[in-house]
Amino acid sequence: MKPKILVARAVFPETLDYLSQHFEVESNQADTVWSKAELTARLRDKDGAFTTGSDRIDAEVLAACPKLKICANMAVGYNNFDLEAMTARGVLGTNTPDVLTETTADFGFALLMATARRMAESEHYLRAGQWTKWSYDMFAGSDIHGATLGILGMGRIGQGIARRGALGFGMNVIYHNRSRLDAATEAECKARYVSKEELLKTADHLVLVLPYSAASHHTIGAAELAQMKPTATLVNIARGGIVDDAALALALRDKRIAAAGLDVFEGEPKVHPGLLTVPNVVLTPHIASSSVPTRKAMAKLAADNLIEFFSKRRALTPLNSQVLAQT
Ligand code: 8YV
């Protein structure tokens, strides 16, 4: 008998076809965002789950689903998993690293450029029919080339952004991370390690690429924004909750920093109302990894993790591999 899996959100039809060769699949091609109770009810008789960042797997869900053995996330971030609770129950978690690195770094850089050069704001102005003449300082922004690029969180995506900045745009790249990179990687990214304080004070453009956890909650709040240059831009492609969005909305309103580019939000898909009313922010709906080839590669990797697990009791990108050693 084929193992039973739940695919919690809509996926590419080819992903469902692929999964159906190996599993008895319950899918959600209507793409309904299930409540926790609905998700739990559907997971109750399943052996595995194909999840996304919007599907919270915590101790309560796990307690109600004793058959569940693996949750394969179609995302590199996994703050939707209570990994400790999963490990305690012997449930494997997997994610999709590497396949989205370059696409996400491309988007981070695009958002940085759109923010610094005021692309969204000027496009809205044009569409509203307000463009009647040229003027010397119309939507004058800040430069990318030669500027100081600060990166907070220097994992694979952070390094991709550093390479783009240093090699493509001649930027002076500085970074801060929990642990310093080895000398060879620093040299390859042309990035210099600095304290968080120096990063905040000296970056012309600050890009956030760190994972979300209780420890990184509100890493950028009013106090940190106050340390940044009034001409600086801030880009968040990491996770909602890393920035205090209410404090950022006020800082943007009062021009305490010049502008922000945000792909992720606290409590998304809701967006803090203060961010919707200030002009100096570029807002995108959590699409940094969203190129067709990359989303297909992420879906394939999540599916392959399920297939490997049920056929060979291993996984390509496990998060808590101690579970595999348990039996
Ligand atoms: C996903 C992401 O699209 O991979 C991540 O961590 O944030 C995005 O690439 C999102 O989490 C949906 O699963």
Side-chain angles (χ1 to χ4, degrees):
M1 224 172 58
K2 287 178 177 174
K4 286 186 183 172
I5 65 156
L6 179 71
V7 181
R9 296 292 304 277
V11 288
F12 296 103
E14 68 192 49
T15 309
L16 272 192
D17 291 346
Y18 185 47
L19 287 166
S20 301
Q21 290 167 27
H22 301 266
F23 305 111
E24 195 181 307
V25 179
E26 179 178 338
S27 62
N28 177 16
Q29 289 306 79
D31 210 25
T32 310
V33 180
W34 291 322
S35 66
K36 188 170 175 177
E38 284 169 310
L39 175 68
T40 308
R42 288 168 199 274
L43 267 183
R44 217 179 289 275
D45 64 336
K46 302 298 185 296
D47 303 295
F50 182 114
T51 53
T52 69
S54 348
D55 310 306
R56 176 92 188 127
I57 304 293
D58 61 15
E60 212 184 325
V61 174
L62 294 167
C65 306
K67 290 183 70 188
L68 196 63
K69 290 173 204 70
I70 173 172
C71 294
N73 226 23
M74 182 183 151
V76 65
Y78 50 90
N79 54 304
N80 57 310
F81 287 168
D82 180 340
L83 205 58
E84 215 175 297
M86 288 169 68
T87 306
R89 286 216 165 245
V91 176
L92 183 70
T94 65
N95 68 341
T96 58
D98 302 321
V99 291
L100 49 60
T101 301
E102 298 303 326
T103 295
T104 306
D106 281 351
F107 188 89
F109 219 86
L111 192 53
L112 162 58
M113 297 187 82
T115 304
R117 297 302 307 273
R118 305 176 66 178
M119 284 184 175
E121 197 184 344
S122 59
E123 204 227 16
H124 294 152
Y125 172 90
L126 182 152
R127 281 183 190 269
Q130 291 174 278
W131 185 30
T132 54
K133 62 178 178 4
W134 178 92
S135 63
Y136 75 99
D137 63 348
M138 184 190 272
F139 294 106
S142 54
D143 274 325
I144 312 286
H145 71 274
T148 296
L149 170 62
I151 301 175
L152 189 55
M154 199 61 159
R156 290 163 285 223
I157 298 169
Q159 291 168 35
I161 292 170
R163 282 195 303 272
R164 281 160 179 77
L167 308 176
F169 291 82
M171 299 179 88
N172 166 37
V173 181
I174 54 178
Y175 77 97
H176 184 75
N177 197 42
R178 269 177 309 185
S179 46
R180 191 173 167 171
L181 298 179
D182 61 72
T185 312
E186 276 189 358
E188 193 227 324
C189 297
K190 295 195 188 302
R192 186 167 62 86
Y193 182 79
V194 295
S195 66
K196 185 179 167 192
E197 194 188 355
E198 189 179 343
L199 188 82
L200 292 168
K201 283 190 175 154
T202 52
D204 295 311
H205 307 290
L206 178 60
V207 183
L208 308 176
V209 211
L210 62 164
Y212 182 81
S213 67
S216 65
H217 184 72
H218 287 188
T219 293
I220 302 292
E224 289 75 19
L225 291 162
Q227 292 180 68
M228 292 174 68
K229 294 180 180 178
T231 50
T233 61
L234 175 71
V235 171
N236 186 8
I237 55 164
R239 271 292 180 274
I242 285 177
V243 175
D244 177 345
D245 285 351
L248 176 60
L250 290 179
L252 289 168
R253 187 196 68 185
D254 300 343
K255 306 261 170 55
R256 275 182 270 130
I257 64 167
L262 307 173
D263 186 50
V264 288
F265 305 88
E266 278 190 287
E268 63 186 48
K270 289 200 183 107
V271 175
H272 190 283
L275 292 171
L276 295 170
T277 50
V278 287
N280 46 345
V281 61
V282 183
L283 306 166
T284 53
H286 201 150
I287 55 169
S289 69
S290 193
S291 73
V292 174
T294 290
R295 283 286 167 85
K296 287 192 172 177
M298 290 165 70
K300 170 91 169 41
L301 178 52
D304 281 337
N305 271 317
L306 288 164
I307 294 164
E308 285 285 302
F309 177 78
F310 285 107
S311 61
K312 303 189 186 113
R313 205 166 163 79
R314 63 181 194 204
L316 300 172
T317 48
L319 293 167
N320 51 349
S321 46
Q322 60 269 47
V323 166
L324 294 170
Q326 270 166 19
T327 47

